[in-house]
Amino acid sequence: MTPVLSARQERIVEILRTTPSITTVDLAQRLDVSGETVRRDLQAMADDGIVQKFHGGVSLHRDVQESPFLLRLRTNVGAKRRLAQLVSKLLPDGASIVLDNSSTACFVAEALAERRGLTVATPSLEVARTLARCGDRHTVMLPGGTLRSSDMTLASASALRFATQLHPDYMVVSVAALSARGGCLDFDPFEVEFKQAVCMHARTVIVVADASKFEAPGLITSLPWTDVQVLVTDCALPPDLAQACAGIRLEIAEATDVSY
């Protein structure tokens, strides 16, 4: 099971992403907590392979530095699980589904473990591996092509051809940002093309994004709002975004929806 970071531990990760190494004293000062509290947090994070400690200081673990996707799997876990559980309730048994290669899709796949008879297509080996733990409950389809090791995605021309042939009942994706003016935004050209190719034939497009994605940075419009039927998030939309999403079914995963 992916380790869950506390809000303070997530802040430590944010600091270490901009400051490659830092002393525990400086870290405690920046967090306004005691040195003992910081050392306790860091020990737990070191045990989970997120940070590596050295005499008097700490840095992000090399594996996390080399694979930002691993870090995304370990951050904002509570919100992603709530969203995933709500998405699972929206998907009927026996449906055909496309999941993207996002960390949120991994949590959706985890939430689908108790469902039955789903056919799930995805370019993500991580998503496929999560679904495979369910045994023969579901049928999992993967494209061919070259594996992108940074996030275990089959990102290739073959994967895009595969995407154009899919006609799923549901496409479930996450995005880098939700923009009132730009729609759903991403950075990676392959992810944009994959979503756009599947969207052409999907009956229902579900976008899943927590509040951190509201007006966050993004480069390319992957999906305009006119292509989205359902938006699943974890709090009310700000006014400009709510106006842009008028006519889209909004599903909000309250903090009380999932018990831990």
Side-chain angles (χ1 to χ4, degrees):
M1 184 63 68
T2 302
V4 178
L5 299 184
S6 68
R8 187 170 58 244
Q9 288 172 328
E10 289 186 11
R11 176 60 181 148
I12 289 173
V13 169
E14 290 174 2
I15 291 171
L16 291 176
R17 290 180 72 180
T18 57
T19 306
S21 64
I22 192 172
T23 67
T24 53
V25 173
D26 288 343
L27 190 55
Q29 290 176 345
R30 291 185 64 169
L31 295 170
D32 194 24
V33 296
S34 69
E36 180 181 355
T37 296
V38 166
R39 286 190 290 273
R40 189 163 53 244
D41 279 340
L42 293 177
Q43 185 58 58
M45 295 170 74
D47 292 343
D48 286 332
I50 299 171
V51 302
Q52 48 194 10
K53 299 191 298 180
F54 54 87
H55 182 66
V58 66
S59 62
L60 281 179
H61 194 281
R62 183 178 61 186
D63 289 346
V64 174
Q65 290 176 335
E66 294 176 351
S67 178
F69 185 74
L70 290 178
L71 184 56
R72 295 205 305 272
L73 279 174
R74 290 167 168 164
T75 57
N76 213 9
V77 172
K80 289 175 182 177
R81 284 212 175 110
R82 289 195 297 274
L83 295 173
Q85 290 289 344
L86 181 50
V87 170
S88 178
K89 295 176 182 177
L90 300 176
L91 304 175
D93 286 341
S96 58
I97 304 163
V98 172
L99 293 178
D100 67 357
N101 63 326
S102 63
S103 60
T104 299
C106 291
F107 288 95
V108 171
E110 187 178 89
L112 295 176
E114 299 305 317
R115 308 302 301 277
R116 290 194 177 273
L118 300 175
T119 299
V120 182
T122 179
S124 168
L125 288 190
E126 291 291 348
V127 169
R129 181 159 40 198
T130 299
L131 289 165
R133 298 191 190 110
C134 305
D136 59 358
R137 286 176 181 266
H138 309 307
T139 299
V140 182
M141 301 172 61
L142 288 163
T146 305
L147 179 65
R148 187 168 67 184
S149 60
S150 62
D151 60 356
M152 301 302 285
T153 295
L154 290 159
S156 64
S158 296
L160 293 177
R161 286 195 296 271
F162 172 76
T164 64
Q165 298 168 357
L166 298 171
H167 291 68
D169 297 322
Y170 298 89
M171 179 175 82
V172 181
V173 298
S174 187
V175 293
L178 303 178
S179 168
R181 293 172 52 191
C184 301
L185 306 180
D186 281 297
F187 288 99
D188 184 86
F190 166 79
E191 295 173 12
V192 170
E193 289 189 56
F194 187 89
K195 290 168 184 173
Q196 291 176 347
V198 176
C199 177
M200 293 176 61
H201 303 297
R203 291 185 182 178
T204 302
V205 175
I206 301 176
V207 172
V208 189
D210 62 67
S212 68
K213 306 295 180 67
F214 296 172
E215 300 298 347
L219 181 62
I220 311 169
T221 297
S222 52
L223 296 171
W225 290 121
T226 52
D227 286 346
V228 179
Q229 284 76 54
V230 184
L231 174 60
V232 179
T233 187
D234 57 351
C235 68
L237 303 179
D240 287 351
L241 199 53
Q243 184 175 359
C245 295
I248 295 174
R249 177 180 172 185
L250 182 64
E251 295 283 347
I252 298 179
E254 301 291 348
T256 55
D257 284 350
V258 178
S259 57
Y260 297 94

